[in-house]
Amino acid sequence: MLTGEDFSARGPAAAIDCLRALQKERGYISDETLAEAAAILQMPVAVLDEVATFYNLIFREPVGKNVILLCDSAVCWMLGREALQSRIFERLGIAPGETTADGQYTLLPVVCLGACDRAPVLLVGETLHGHLDAAGVNKLLDGAA
Ligand code: FES
């Protein structure tokens, strides 16, 4: 178990580790969790909120069990990102920013995931899926990818 001293000794970068650990346990970073983390890190809540808001993988609102982060940047757009979004909508009935009624999936747009050579890409959990097309989305959602 990390202590506040551990985090403060590692500087601001430790904030992400702390938030990710809390998010893994609680699903997202509520205002209460953010305040708790700020106390652990000995940081102002507003500063930590900026970090949390900037970092794509920290969720400040409740999300589904599986979060699909669909790259929304130029290379993915040029190489078929829209087809992925359309197939996700056909299969799950959710648009960017929405969660399925059963709470299984949330679809979120994100800026470049740093894998442009594999565009179009999406991230589910911590797994990056690249060179996807609509059929690939089907396989992914069927659990076969
Ligand atoms: S533009 Fe999509 S990964 Fe870079």
Side-chain angles (χ1 to χ4, degrees), residues 104-132:
Q104 286 298 303
Y105 291 95
T106 294
L107 175 61
L108 297 174
V110 291
V111 296
C112 179
L113 287 165
C116 308
D117 60 323
R118 297 174 62 193
V121 302
L122 57 77
L123 190 69
V124 181
E126 296 187 357
T127 304
L128 186 79
H129 301 272
H131 299 302
L132 277 178

Side-chain angles (χ1 to χ4, degrees), residues 28-103:
Y28 77 106
I29 302 298
S30 67
D31 289 346
E32 293 76 18
T33 298
L34 188 76
E36 185 181 331
I40 292 169
L41 295 160
Q42 300 171 6
M43 293 175 69
V45 173
V47 172
L48 187 58
D49 194 21
E50 286 179 19
V51 172
T53 302
F54 180 77
Y55 188 61
N56 288 335
L57 300 179
I58 297 298
F59 309 124
R60 291 285 283 123
E61 302 287 334
V63 291
K65 182 177 176 186
N66 303 287
V67 178
I68 302 170
L69 297 171
L70 179 59
C71 180
D72 201 24
S73 292
V75 177
C76 285
W77 271 100
M78 289 188 294
L79 295 176
R81 175 218 182 270
E82 277 296 278
L84 308 187
Q85 183 174 308
S86 294
R87 184 54 51 95
I88 290 167
F89 185 81
E90 289 168 16
R91 289 285 309 264
L92 302 176
I94 53 173
E98 295 179 346
T99 299
T100 56
D102 63 3

